[in-house]
Amino acid sequence: MAFGEVTVIPVNGHGPEDVVVDDQGRIYTGVDDGRILRVAPDGKRIDVLGDTGGRPLGIEFYGDDLLICDAKAGLLTMPLGGGSVTTLATSAAGLDFVFCNNAAVAADGTVYFTDSSRRFGIEKWRDDLIEQTGGGRLLRRTPDGKIEQLADGFQFANGVALPPDESYVAVAETGAYRVSRIWLTGERAGDRDVLVEDLWGYPDNISTGSDGLIWITVASPKVPALSVIQKFPAPLRAAVRALPTSLQPSPLRECGVQGVSPEGKLVHELRGEIDGFHVLVGVRERAGKLYFGSLEDNAIAVTTV
């Protein structure tokens, strides 16, 4: 189904990658110069809440704070009303974070979050997709501050979401066109399987909506040239990575979102091009509205389900 009417709201910054929405309809996001913004529902007021000093990506409510996955600075918090940043973690399981990306917060305050790559940081995200390193990790931070690695080997571990019953944690694998899940409870605890596979493009952030569905972004359709390059011998892949970004495979204008049930059944899908908005990488559903973040535009967007 094509997108209906979409309202594009300019923000005073580039790349508002993820979004979260409070009960007043205010939208929180982070832009690529490190600032955390709060945008009024009509977009007419934008408050700067603080600055991570890095590159904020995933953003979540965390009690009276915002939880921020910063690709450069690690796992952070900041007061909801604005203020200074507190660092929760910059490493886990003996490895420094290379690309802290996205998170989900359980009812008891446990945080599940991803470190997308062992080799490539955010400036080189294309490189990880080219090399298919399989070095993405899923980590868990318990309320007492203990951090453990739950799973690894993901093809660019990206968005994270919990179903309403918190029986598993879902992880988007951008490089594998799928959303995997790691079971947390019951007889299957510790098992890993697939929630959604063979997506038509590259999944990015995911989130659980007020409707109980898991919403999945598709930032771009599959890029045929990338699929070819991934099969090149290592020296040729390295040569492609050395090219200017403008000459490397890049996202296309089409984008989309899917809303799936906790069992992985497709319930909603919106797909197409949005004027003034592309590389849709963040999604939140609240009371029948969808809020979108972008990796490449200076805007967020809002539409209805």
Side-chain angles (χ1 to χ4, degrees):
M1 180 178 176
F3 289 102
E5 182 178 351
V6 180
T7 301
V8 176
I9 302 173
V11 299
N12 57 349
H14 182 258
E17 199 263 0
D18 198 15
V19 290
V20 67
V21 185
D22 69 15
D23 57 8
Q24 299 179 52
R26 298 178 299 183
I27 307 161
Y28 299 76
T29 190
V31 290
D32 69 359
D33 63 5
R35 288 176 300 140
I36 302 298
L37 309 178
R38 182 176 61 208
V39 183
D42 59 6
K44 294 182 179 179
R45 175 172 176 169
I46 300 176
D47 298 312
V48 178
L49 301 182
D51 192 323
T52 68
R55 197 336 177 178
L57 297 175
I59 189 167
E60 300 288 330
F61 292 126
Y62 187 62
D64 294 328
D65 295 331
L66 289 171
L67 179 79
I68 303 160
C69 290
D70 190 293
K72 298 180 179 180
L75 190 67
L76 316 173
T77 61
M78 176 185 292
L80 271 173
S84 60
V85 168
T86 298
T87 301
L88 298 184
T90 58
S91 65
L95 295 173
D96 290 340
F97 301 155
V98 174
F99 196 152
C100 187
N101 195 324
N102 198 249
V105 180
D108 69 354
T110 297
V111 176
Y112 298 88
F113 64 105
T114 50
D115 188 20
S116 293
S117 175
R118 279 182 168 81
R119 288 180 57 190
F120 301 109
I122 187 167
E123 296 89 351
K124 298 290 186 180
W125 62 266
R126 289 177 175 83
D127 290 13
D128 197 273
L129 296 181
I130 289 170
E131 293 291 349
Q132 292 280 279
T133 65
R137 302 192 289 164
L138 174 67
L139 305 161
R140 173 168 60 191
R141 183 185 188 274
T142 54
D144 63 3
K146 179 183 177 183
I147 299 178
E148 61 182 326
Q149 180 173 296
L150 285 188
D152 64 1
F154 295 101
Q155 290 292 353
F156 200 94
N158 207 322
V160 185
L162 294 160
D165 68 359
E166 300 186 356
S167 57
Y168 63 80
V169 56
V171 180
E173 291 190 76
T174 304
Y177 321 114
R178 68 187 174 213
V179 178
S180 295
R181 60 184 170 185
I182 290 81
W183 289 89
L184 302 173
T185 63
E187 294 181 356
R188 303 181 69 180
D191 289 350
R192 176 169 165 179
D193 62 8
V194 175
L195 178 68
V196 179
E197 61 185 340
D198 197 25
L199 288 161
W200 54 270
Y202 304 98
D204 205 284
N205 292 344
I206 63 178
S207 64
T208 305
S210 63
D211 52 12
L213 301 179
I214 293 177
W215 286 89
I216 303 165
T217 62
V218 181
S220 163
K222 295 175 184 177
V223 178
L226 177 59
S227 298
V228 173
I229 291 166
Q230 288 169 341
K231 299 175 183 177
F232 284 177
L236 289 180
R237 294 198 306 272
V240 173
R241 291 197 288 108
L243 292 172
T245 298
S246 61
L247 298 179
Q248 295 182 14
S250 296
L252 305 176
R253 294 289 309 186
E254 187 179 10
C255 57
V257 292
Q258 292 186 356
V260 304
S261 72
E263 295 74 37
K265 179 181 178 181
L266 181 65
V267 179
H268 298 289
E269 181 170 36
L270 300 175
R271 177 177 175 179
E273 294 188 16
I274 301 172
D275 289 341
F277 192 87
H278 73 303
V279 194
L280 192 169
V281 294
V283 61
R284 298 287 165 165
E285 186 280 336
R286 185 178 177 87
K289 287 187 175 182
L290 295 173
Y291 300 80
F292 301 145
S294 170
L295 184 65
E296 294 292 344
D297 280 308
N298 292 13
I300 54 181
V302 184
T303 190
T304 55
V305 178

